Each structure stands twice: as structure tokens, then as C-alpha cells.
Amino acid sequence: MAGIVRRSFDSADETRPFADGKGRMDLLSTDHGPVGRAVFEPGWRWSEHVGPIAGTDSCQASHAGYVVGGRMRVVMDDGEEGEVGPGDFMQIAPGHDAWVLGDEPCVVVDWVGFGDYARAG
């Protein structure tokens, strides 16, 4: 393992587009597992733009990440709700829906839940 590793999400190992052009997830493979940067465009909603890809009623990924910009609303299957925005660390359990708030993209870096995110069957 190298002492310093520098990678750019702009040259990701894999890019997974969301339905209807509502964003993408750029994935880097690292020695410690996948790290993803998601760009959720205004109008993006998990249940509409990733749910059909995942084939589940709600997002079943666990997330731990950092919101770089934009805002997102998250609603858990049990009804718990919250918002995340720029500078926030977020940890979200499986079983949720989420959508972008406002008219700017929500950009999230996640080092736990994006390995299989938005990947077909």
C-alpha cells in the first residue's frame, strides 16, 4: 500500500447514472473498499430515480458520508424524518427514501453505502 494515494472522482473507476438524467454516482475502488461521490440533481428522488434500478421499495443501503453541497430530505420507513446539508456528516440506516430540496444539486461523498448503490440486479 502506498503512503499517499490521490484519486479524482472526475476519473472514477465506475460511473452509474440515475434514471431520467437526475444525476450519477462516481465510484473509486480503494484498498479499504469503495468510496462514492453522488451528484443528485434537482428533482431527484430515490424512489423514482434509483428504486427501479434497485428493485426495492426503499433504499436498503447503509450510508455514512459527508454532504459537500445542496440539501436532501430523508424519510425512514418508520416515519422518522430529517434533512442534511452542506458540511453535515450523515449516517442513515437501511430503509429510507430521500429527495433533493431546492434548485441546486446535492453532492454527497459516502464511504459505506455506495458499493452496490444504483447497480442493477
Side-chain angles (χ1 to χ4, degrees):
M1 178 163 96
I4 297 174
V5 175
R6 181 186 172 277
R7 307 271 313 275
S8 172
F9 284 108
D10 294 332
S11 299
D13 295 318
E14 183 180 356
T15 296
R16 299 177 191 154
F18 302 145
D20 301 328
K22 290 295 182 183
R24 69 185 187 283
M25 199 274 300
D26 302 312
L27 190 69
L28 297 176
S29 299
T30 76
D31 290 344
H32 299 285
V35 177
R37 174 188 66 182
V39 178
F40 304 101
E41 296 293 339
W44 175 89
R45 186 177 184 121
W46 186 91
S47 54
E48 296 174 21
H49 300 102
V50 179
I53 298 167
T56 57
D57 291 334
S58 62
C59 181
Q60 296 303 306
S62 209
H63 300 286
Y66 176 79
V67 181
V68 177
R71 299 198 67 74
M72 185 176 290
R73 182 98 179 139
V74 180
V75 177
M76 303 301 297
D77 289 350
D78 68 4
E80 180 182 359
E81 301 182 30
E83 285 184 22
V84 295
D88 287 345
F89 166 80
M90 61 173 210
Q91 190 168 344
I92 303 169
H96 57 273
D97 194 5
W99 56 91
V100 172
L101 298 172
D103 59 0
E104 68 177 282
C106 184
V107 179
V108 175
V109 175
D110 186 320
W111 50 88
V112 172
F114 281 170
D116 290 325
Y117 192 82
R119 178 185 292 175

